[in-house]
């Protein structure tokens, strides 16, 4: 099965906007490459995902990301083995 980039609906408030998460279901290398192509700054990466503002979600889907529920995104991220639990991040998110 081909690797997939996933994005969830923006529902996390911060800096006056809502944010979603961009992840890969198989490879951080693939995730970083997609983010670079989409112009997402490296500072948006948080251990296993990129935080993306609500106004970028439609564009990311047009670029090939699959829009899934937050529950599905976490399920597939855990299944990939790439999930970094909050307790291992060193800060709350």
């Amino acid at each position: 099965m081909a690797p997939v980039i996933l994005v969830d609906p923006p529902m996390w408030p911060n800096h006056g906007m809502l944010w979603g998460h961009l992840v890969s279901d198989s490879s951080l290398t693939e995730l970083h490459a997609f983010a670079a192509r989409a112009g997402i700054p490296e500072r948006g990466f948080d251990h296993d995902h990129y935080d993306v503002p609500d106004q970028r979600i439609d564009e990311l889907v047009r670029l090939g990301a699959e829009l899934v529920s937050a529950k599905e995104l976490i399920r597939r991220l855990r299944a990939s083995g790439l999930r970094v639990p909050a307790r291992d991040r060193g800060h709350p998110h």
Side-chain angles (χ1 to χ4, degrees):
M1 181 181 261
V4 177
I5 298 294
L6 308 169
V7 65
D8 64 0
M11 63 180 147
W12 306 99
N14 201 5
H15 304 293
M17 23 182 169
L18 293 176
W19 298 76
H21 302 107
L22 186 73
V23 306
S24 170
D25 72 350
S26 64
S27 162
L28 289 180
T29 300
E30 172 197 36
L31 176 61
H32 292 309
F34 183 92
R37 284 192 309 275
I40 298 171
E42 291 179 15
R43 70 179 179 276
F45 183 69
D46 187 15
H47 294 86
D48 57 11
H49 69 275
Y50 281 88
D51 293 316
V52 291
D54 54 359
Q55 69 266 24
R56 299 286 317 266
I57 302 299
D58 290 343
E59 174 190 358
L60 295 172
V61 170
R62 282 193 303 276
L63 291 172
E66 179 182 340
L67 183 62
V68 297
S69 69
K71 184 176 180 178
E72 178 68 7
L73 182 137
I74 290 296
R75 185 190 71 74
R76 289 170 67 178
L77 185 58
R78 285 181 180 145
S80 74
L82 298 174
R83 177 72 173 146
V84 177
R87 69 179 176 276
D88 295 340
R89 292 172 190 269
H91 63 85
H93 188 326

